[in-house]
mmCIF file of all heavy atoms in Angstrom:
data_model
loop_
_atom_site.group_PDB
_atom_site.id
_atom_site.type_symbol
_atom_site.label_atom_id
_atom_site.label_comp_id
_atom_site.label_asym_id
_atom_site.label_seq_id
_atom_site.Cartn_x
_atom_site.Cartn_y
_atom_site.Cartn_z
ATOM 1 N N LEU A 169 23.492 0.855 -12.284
ATOM 2 C CA LEU A 169 22.755 1.386 -11.134
ATOM 3 C C LEU A 169 21.292 1.634 -11.486
ATOM 4 O O LEU A 169 20.388 1.300 -10.728
ATOM 5 C CB LEU A 169 23.418 2.673 -10.642
ATOM 6 C CG LEU A 169 22.819 3.312 -9.396
ATOM 7 C CD1 LEU A 169 22.887 2.347 -8.213
ATOM 8 C CD2 LEU A 169 23.538 4.601 -9.062
ATOM 9 N N ALA A 170 21.040 2.198 -12.654
ATOM 10 C CA ALA A 170 19.665 2.454 -13.094
ATOM 11 C C ALA A 170 18.903 1.153 -13.262
ATOM 12 O O ALA A 170 17.741 1.033 -12.868
ATOM 13 C CB ALA A 170 19.667 3.244 -14.395
ATOM 14 N N THR A 171 19.546 0.134 -13.826
ATOM 15 C CA THR A 171 18.901 -1.168 -14.011
ATOM 16 C C THR A 171 18.569 -1.799 -12.671
ATOM 17 O O THR A 171 17.470 -2.312 -12.470
ATOM 18 C CB THR A 171 19.830 -2.113 -14.814
ATOM 19 O OG1 THR A 171 20.119 -1.490 -16.059
ATOM 20 C CG2 THR A 171 19.173 -3.449 -15.053
ATOM 21 N N LEU A 172 19.502 -1.736 -11.731
ATOM 22 C CA LEU A 172 19.251 -2.302 -10.408
ATOM 23 C C LEU A 172 18.133 -1.553 -9.692
ATOM 24 O O LEU A 172 17.293 -2.153 -9.029
ATOM 25 C CB LEU A 172 20.530 -2.271 -9.567
ATOM 26 C CG LEU A 172 21.631 -3.227 -10.001
ATOM 27 C CD1 LEU A 172 22.895 -2.995 -9.166
ATOM 28 C CD2 LEU A 172 21.186 -4.669 -9.885
ATOM 29 N N SER A 173 18.094 -0.245 -9.839
ATOM 30 C CA SER A 173 17.035 0.554 -9.210
ATOM 31 C C SER A 173 15.676 0.189 -9.776
ATOM 32 O O SER A 173 14.705 0.046 -9.045
ATOM 33 C CB SER A 173 17.284 2.042 -9.418
ATOM 34 O OG SER A 173 18.470 2.427 -8.776
ATOM 35 N N LEU A 174 15.596 0.031 -11.097
ATOM 36 C CA LEU A 174 14.327 -0.350 -11.718
ATOM 37 C C LEU A 174 13.905 -1.748 -11.281
ATOM 38 O O LEU A 174 12.733 -1.998 -11.018
ATOM 39 C CB LEU A 174 14.433 -0.288 -13.241
ATOM 40 C CG LEU A 174 14.485 1.112 -13.839
ATOM 41 C CD1 LEU A 174 14.731 1.040 -15.339
ATOM 42 C CD2 LEU A 174 13.201 1.873 -13.550
ATOM 43 N N SER A 175 14.850 -2.658 -11.176
ATOM 44 C CA SER A 175 14.528 -4.017 -10.735
ATOM 45 C C SER A 175 14.016 -4.008 -9.306
ATOM 46 O O SER A 175 13.055 -4.685 -8.971
ATOM 47 C CB SER A 175 15.759 -4.925 -10.818
ATOM 48 O OG SER A 175 16.177 -5.031 -12.143
ATOM 49 N N ALA A 176 14.642 -3.228 -8.451
ATOM 50 C CA ALA A 176 14.221 -3.152 -7.048
ATOM 51 C C ALA A 176 12.847 -2.508 -6.941
ATOM 52 O O ALA A 176 12.015 -2.921 -6.148
ATOM 53 C CB ALA A 176 15.238 -2.360 -6.229
ATOM 54 N N ALA A 177 12.593 -1.494 -7.766
ATOM 55 C CA ALA A 177 11.295 -0.824 -7.713
ATOM 56 C C ALA A 177 10.190 -1.739 -8.230
ATOM 57 O O ALA A 177 9.065 -1.687 -7.760
ATOM 58 C CB ALA A 177 11.344 0.462 -8.527
ATOM 59 N N ALA A 178 10.487 -2.571 -9.212
ATOM 60 C CA ALA A 178 9.475 -3.442 -9.801
ATOM 61 C C ALA A 178 9.193 -4.658 -8.930
ATOM 62 O O ALA A 178 8.112 -5.229 -8.992
ATOM 63 C CB ALA A 178 9.929 -3.887 -11.187
ATOM 64 N N ALA A 179 10.157 -5.061 -8.137
ATOM 65 C CA ALA A 179 9.980 -6.251 -7.306
ATOM 66 C C ALA A 179 9.063 -5.935 -6.130
ATOM 67 O O ALA A 179 9.245 -4.928 -5.456
ATOM 68 C CB ALA A 179 11.329 -6.736 -6.791
ATOM 69 N N PRO A 180 8.060 -6.795 -5.891
ATOM 70 C CA PRO A 180 7.188 -6.546 -4.739
ATOM 71 C C PRO A 180 7.956 -6.758 -3.437
ATOM 72 O O PRO A 180 8.900 -7.542 -3.386
ATOM 73 C CB PRO A 180 6.078 -7.584 -4.900
ATOM 74 C CG PRO A 180 6.644 -8.647 -5.773
ATOM 75 C CD PRO A 180 7.699 -7.988 -6.616
ATOM 76 N N PRO A 181 7.566 -6.036 -2.391
ATOM 77 C CA PRO A 181 8.271 -6.197 -1.125
ATOM 78 C C PRO A 181 8.039 -7.590 -0.548
ATOM 79 O O PRO A 181 7.008 -8.220 -0.800
ATOM 80 C CB PRO A 181 7.648 -5.122 -0.227
ATOM 81 C CG PRO A 181 6.338 -4.793 -0.852
ATOM 82 C CD PRO A 181 6.470 -5.089 -2.308
ATOM 83 N N ALA A 182 9.005 -8.054 0.210
ATOM 84 C CA ALA A 182 8.876 -9.365 0.855
ATOM 85 C C ALA A 182 7.799 -9.279 1.934
ATOM 86 O O ALA A 182 7.636 -8.240 2.575
ATOM 87 C CB ALA A 182 10.211 -9.763 1.476
ATOM 88 N N SER A 202 1.898 -7.396 3.686
ATOM 89 C CA SER A 202 2.883 -6.791 2.797
ATOM 90 C C SER A 202 3.182 -5.346 3.207
ATOM 91 O O SER A 202 2.253 -4.552 3.349
ATOM 92 C CB SER A 202 2.322 -6.817 1.368
ATOM 93 O OG SER A 202 3.163 -6.146 0.487
ATOM 94 N N PRO A 203 4.469 -5.004 3.384
ATOM 95 C CA PRO A 203 4.794 -3.603 3.658
ATOM 96 C C PRO A 203 4.523 -2.765 2.410
ATOM 97 O O PRO A 203 4.479 -3.296 1.299
ATOM 98 C CB PRO A 203 6.287 -3.646 3.983
ATOM 99 C CG PRO A 203 6.793 -4.882 3.338
ATOM 100 C CD PRO A 203 5.654 -5.849 3.291
ATOM 101 N N SER A 204 4.292 -1.489 2.605
ATOM 102 C CA SER A 204 4.035 -0.606 1.465
ATOM 103 C C SER A 204 4.272 0.837 1.878
ATOM 104 O O SER A 204 4.059 1.202 3.031
ATOM 105 C CB SER A 204 2.590 -0.778 0.981
ATOM 106 O OG SER A 204 2.332 0.033 -0.134
ATOM 107 N N LYS A 241 -4.289 2.937 -9.583
ATOM 108 C CA LYS A 241 -4.110 1.566 -10.089
ATOM 109 C C LYS A 241 -4.473 0.508 -9.050
ATOM 110 O O LYS A 241 -4.241 -0.669 -9.262
ATOM 111 C CB LYS A 241 -2.657 1.360 -10.536
ATOM 112 C CG LYS A 241 -2.268 2.202 -11.727
ATOM 113 C CD LYS A 241 -0.840 1.918 -12.144
ATOM 114 C CE LYS A 241 -0.474 2.750 -13.361
ATOM 115 N NZ LYS A 241 0.880 2.481 -13.823
ATOM 116 N N GLU A 242 -5.014 0.931 -7.935
ATOM 117 C CA GLU A 242 -5.347 -0.004 -6.852
ATOM 118 C C GLU A 242 -6.834 0.062 -6.546
ATOM 119 O O GLU A 242 -7.556 0.896 -7.105
ATOM 120 C CB GLU A 242 -4.516 0.333 -5.609
ATOM 121 C CG GLU A 242 -3.020 0.199 -5.844
ATOM 122 C CD GLU A 242 -2.176 0.634 -4.663
ATOM 123 O OE1 GLU A 242 -2.694 1.348 -3.779
ATOM 124 O OE2 GLU A 242 -1.004 0.261 -4.625
ATOM 125 N N ASP A 256 -3.276 -3.398 -2.625
ATOM 126 C CA ASP A 256 -2.243 -3.291 -3.654
ATOM 127 C C ASP A 256 -1.923 -4.663 -4.233
ATOM 128 O O ASP A 256 -2.348 -5.691 -3.703
ATOM 129 C CB ASP A 256 -0.988 -2.635 -3.070
ATOM 130 C CG ASP A 256 -0.434 -3.430 -1.911
ATOM 131 O OD1 ASP A 256 -0.951 -3.283 -0.789
ATOM 132 O OD2 ASP A 256 0.511 -4.206 -2.131
ATOM 133 N N ALA A 257 -1.181 -4.678 -5.328
ATOM 134 C CA ALA A 257 -0.845 -5.927 -6.014
ATOM 135 C C ALA A 257 -0.038 -6.869 -5.124
ATOM 136 O O ALA A 257 -0.261 -8.086 -5.149
ATOM 137 C CB ALA A 257 -0.071 -5.625 -7.295
ATOM 138 N N GLY A 258 0.871 -6.330 -4.313
ATOM 139 C CA GLY A 258 1.686 -7.184 -3.432
ATOM 140 C C GLY A 258 0.840 -7.905 -2.406
ATOM 141 O O GLY A 258 1.007 -9.110 -2.183
ATOM 142 N N SER A 259 -0.090 -7.182 -1.782
ATOM 143 C CA SER A 259 -0.985 -7.809 -0.791
ATOM 144 C C SER A 259 -1.874 -8.847 -1.450
ATOM 145 O O SER A 259 -2.114 -9.922 -0.898
ATOM 146 C CB SER A 259 -1.862 -6.746 -0.119
ATOM 147 O OG SER A 259 -1.067 -5.851 0.608
ATOM 148 N N LYS A 261 -1.250 -10.591 -4.157
ATOM 149 C CA LYS A 261 -0.444 -11.764 -4.539
ATOM 150 C C LYS A 261 -0.215 -12.669 -3.333
ATOM 151 O O LYS A 261 -0.338 -13.887 -3.434
ATOM 152 C CB LYS A 261 0.889 -11.308 -5.141
ATOM 153 C CG LYS A 261 1.739 -12.451 -5.645
ATOM 154 C CD LYS A 261 3.002 -11.955 -6.307
ATOM 155 C CE LYS A 261 3.817 -13.129 -6.815
ATOM 156 N NZ LYS A 261 5.046 -12.702 -7.470
#
Side-chain angles (χ1 to χ4, degrees):
L169 183 60
T171 302
L172 290 174
S173 296
L174 287 174
S175 297
S202 175
S204 182
K241 294 182 179 182
E242 298 175 342
D256 59 279
S259 296
K261 184 176 181 180

